[in-house]
Amino acid sequence: MADQSSANFDEMLTRLTPADRAAIRARMTLRSYEPRQQIFGQNEDNNRFMVVESGRVRTFSLALDGHEITTGIWSAGFSLGLISGLAGVPRVLSCEAIDRTTVRILTMAELQFLVNRIPQLGFELAKLIAGSAAKSIARAALFSTTSVRGRLIATLVSLGDLPDARTGPDSAVVTGLSHEDIASLVRASRPWISLTIRELEEQGYLRLGRMQIEIPSLTALASADSETAFVE
């Protein structure tokens, strides 16, 4: 999973004037979802996009054999459905809430109105989409050139880097995700993920609880693929 700053709609809004930010937010509506409730489905028509207000969401696709392939875990500020909405094509992914989640919704018709009214918004949206594409390419390169252990470590670091996960400057706690969820992100089997997570715990990089992974040092974990153990 990649750094979500490339697709952070709220971060993009900070580059607009206060009046323009207020005009955009005024046209967005709020909707809340319970944990594991579907937000939208793959191949659904898409005439709106969403921005995560609070909580975390999981995006995933369905393979030909019916199993789910998780493409990312995202939190506040991340935009959902913007690219397919602008392209006028059905949604390419499904999305569900992990926690109790609130999203802000804007129809594509409202977005077009706002872009006509706020020319700078169109340019900032183009930068947002370009950044998202660059991160997707980087993630694909990582998955094609890195060991499965390396992909697991990179995924755990990314999850720990989400704002809601941080517990200190270099520490984090990842909650609410099963080993099956993480295995889907890493593209590995659940037994292998469980075994390797326990190995990382024995080496001092993680502390495990029920549906909880504590990361004492994100920096140390990031280097765990080349080190043998971490002593706090």
Side-chain angles (χ1 to χ4, degrees), residues 71-115:
T71 60
I73 307 292
W74 314 103
S75 64
F78 185 77
S79 57
L80 301 161
L82 178 60
I83 294 176
S84 59
L86 288 171
V89 299
R91 296 186 185 275
V92 297
L93 299 172
S94 296
C95 180
E96 70 173 8
I98 295 174
D99 318 298
R100 192 172 197 283
T101 298
T102 299
V103 300
R104 301 195 307 273
I105 301 170
L106 186 68
T107 67
M108 302 313 296
E110 292 278 18
L111 180 61
Q112 182 174 358
F113 170 84
L114 287 166
V115 168

Side-chain angles (χ1 to χ4, degrees), residues 15-30:
R15 297 191 289 271
L16 302 177
T17 68
D20 288 343
R21 291 199 297 271
I24 294 167
R25 287 182 174 274
R27 289 182 175 271
M28 304 182 86
T29 58
L30 290 174

Side-chain angles (χ1 to χ4, degrees), residues 196-213:
T196 307
I197 285 176
R198 282 194 291 271
E199 288 178 353
L200 290 169
E201 180 187 32
E202 291 169 359
Q203 294 168 351
Y205 294 108
L206 306 175
R207 296 176 187 143
L208 304 182
R210 182 172 175 78
M211 296 285 283
Q212 175 175 298
I213 300 174

Side-chain angles (χ1 to χ4, degrees), residues 4-232:
Q4 75 166 35
S5 61
S6 58
N8 194 302
F9 187 84
D10 289 342
E11 195 173 281
M12 181 210 74
L13 288 182
T14 64
R15 297 191 289 271
L16 302 177
T17 68
D20 288 343
R21 291 199 297 271
I24 294 167
R25 287 182 174 274
R27 289 182 175 271
M28 304 182 86
T29 58
L30 290 174
R31 182 169 178 181
S32 295
Y33 296 86
E34 296 301 318
R36 300 299 174 177
Q37 182 179 354
Q38 181 168 294
I39 296 174
F40 55 77
Q42 187 174 336
N43 295 322
E44 285 183 0
D45 289 339
N46 183 19
N47 62 359
R48 59 184 183 168
F49 81 100
M50 305 174 183
V51 178
V52 180
E53 176 79 7
S54 62
R56 294 171 301 166
V57 303
R58 177 177 77 100
T59 51
F60 59 95
S61 62
L62 292 177
L64 292 176
D65 62 5
H67 79 275
E68 295 178 358
I69 301 172
T70 300
T71 60
I73 307 292
W74 314 103
S75 64
F78 185 77
S79 57
L80 301 161
L82 178 60
I83 294 176
S84 59
L86 288 171
V89 299
R91 296 186 185 275
V92 297
L93 299 172
S94 296
C95 180
E96 70 173 8
I98 295 174
D99 318 298
R100 192 172 197 283
T101 298
T102 299
V103 300
R104 301 195 307 273
I105 301 170
L106 186 68
T107 67
M108 302 313 296
E110 292 278 18
L111 180 61
Q112 182 174 358
F113 170 84
L114 287 166
V115 168
N116 290 337
R117 177 181 169 185
I118 308 169
Q120 182 67 20
L121 176 59
F123 178 68
E124 295 298 341
L125 287 172
K127 289 169 60 178
L128 187 77
I129 293 169
S132 180
K135 290 294 183 180
S136 295
I137 293 169
R139 184 172 188 268
L142 172 72
F143 270 53
S144 65
T145 59
T146 306
S147 67
V148 180
R149 176 183 166 92
R151 299 203 305 263
L152 170 61
I153 289 168
T155 296
L156 291 173
V157 170
S158 288
L159 291 170
D161 258 337
L162 292 176
D164 291 347
R166 283 300 190 104
T167 57
D170 193 42
S171 60
V173 174
V174 178
T175 61
L177 296 177
S178 67
H179 287 190
E180 190 72 42
D181 292 328
I182 296 171
S184 182
L185 271 169
V186 177
R187 312 286 197 275
S189 70
R190 187 205 56 75
W192 189 95
I193 290 295
S194 296
L195 176 63
T196 307
I197 285 176
R198 282 194 291 271
E199 288 178 353
L200 290 169
E201 180 187 32
E202 291 169 359
Q203 294 168 351
Y205 294 108
L206 306 175
R207 296 176 187 143
L208 304 182
R210 182 172 175 78
M211 296 285 283
Q212 175 175 298
I213 300 174
E214 182 180 350
I215 306 172
S217 170
L218 290 163
T219 302
L221 178 60
S223 64
D225 207 21
S226 58
E227 302 292 338
T228 56
F230 168 65
V231 179
E232 190 175 13

